[in-house]
Amino acid sequence: MNLRELHRHLVVARRLDEEAIALQRQGVLPAYAPMKGQEAAQVGSAAALDPTRDFAFPTYRELGAAVALGVDLVGYLASHLGNWHGGLYDPMASRFAPFNAVVGGPVTHAVGWAMGARLDGTGGVALTYFGDGASSQGDVHEAMNFAGVYRLPVIFFCQHNGWAISVPSERQVAGGSVAARAEGYGITGRRIDGNDVAEVYEATREAVDRARDGGGPTVLEAMTYRLGPHSTSDDPGRYRPLAEERQRAQDDPLLRSARLIGDEEFLAEAESHAAKVVREVREGLLALGEQPGEEMFSFVYREPTRALLEQQRRWKESADAQ
């Protein structure tokens, strides 16, 4: 994939991210976790996957990865409505797992999937996202150790954006580097420029090729910066100075790729394309309407528990009474 294709994904991700924030402010979405500033890390890494056999395991902030993998974006944003299990897109078709709000949660899922890929011999590689804050979770350490022992085809992709909500990384990442921890698990670790979409793409592709060839897992630490709040309920002005945000905004990944491309006609076309995508996604999301309430009890367990059936009965009685 060339820089122009990657840039088109960057612009779609940025404009749709802005629209999602607007939708939350308008009361359409209950909550949203912005990813402004992290587009290059997400787009570059996801674009390096083979969608016919690899699988990505996101957190709740990987809109850019969803764009790069061609996920149904109406279905993706529908996840934020909280009215259905895992959103309305098909994870198997898109190779993009339902997003995970558990801190560090997708990491263990990716390692389990990678073990399955090793056993079935398809050559598939798992890519899992997590932040510098999540790197302090015990699940992440256990997953890396397990993957190292079994030489599993998995890439641990850390978006090091400098903040674990309001806690700066220097106060919770011992040693200062997530990639450096890889050596302790006997696996490859590399720190990369997370705002350079081409570097992210090449580094991830190398890690994918190594994993596919039996070289084992890789930890990629993409150094980036969260230009916005942690979530739409967060106020970053309470814990970091505005001067810092303005200074870091000069390294905006969209501005960097635009400067490298330098073709004003193409850049304008990319913005026009993004505006069209945003308009279609907004219209599609607003047209969804409410999902049937009884669906909240579907697909929770393979065999419904007695407690779940009782909850369903009480809900139906309440709904009928209204």
Side-chain angles (χ1 to χ4, degrees), residues 91-115:
M92 295 302 293
S94 62
R95 314 301 287 175
F96 190 78
F99 69 67
N100 196 319
V102 176
V103 179
V107 179
T108 50
H109 294 178
V111 169
W113 186 92
M115 173 62 87

Side-chain angles (χ1 to χ4, degrees), residues 4-24:
R4 292 191 174 215
E5 292 174 294
L6 292 169
H7 183 79
R8 281 169 65 89
H9 288 324
L10 293 179
V11 179
V12 169
R14 171 66 60 86
R15 302 308 169 219
L16 191 55
D17 185 66
E18 294 170 344
E19 180 65 21
I21 295 173
L23 288 167
Q24 192 280 326

Side-chain angles (χ1 to χ4, degrees), residues 133-175:
S135 72
S136 297
Q137 292 289 334
D139 284 359
V140 174
H141 295 277
E142 293 174 22
M144 288 184 180
N145 185 66
F146 189 90
V149 169
Y150 290 98
R151 310 300 294 166
L152 298 180
V154 58
I155 300 166
F156 299 96
F157 194 93
C158 175
Q159 294 175 84
H160 193 146
N161 67 19
W163 294 91
I165 307 183
S166 60
V167 180
S169 58
E170 60 266 21
R171 287 178 52 193
Q172 60 88 34
V173 178

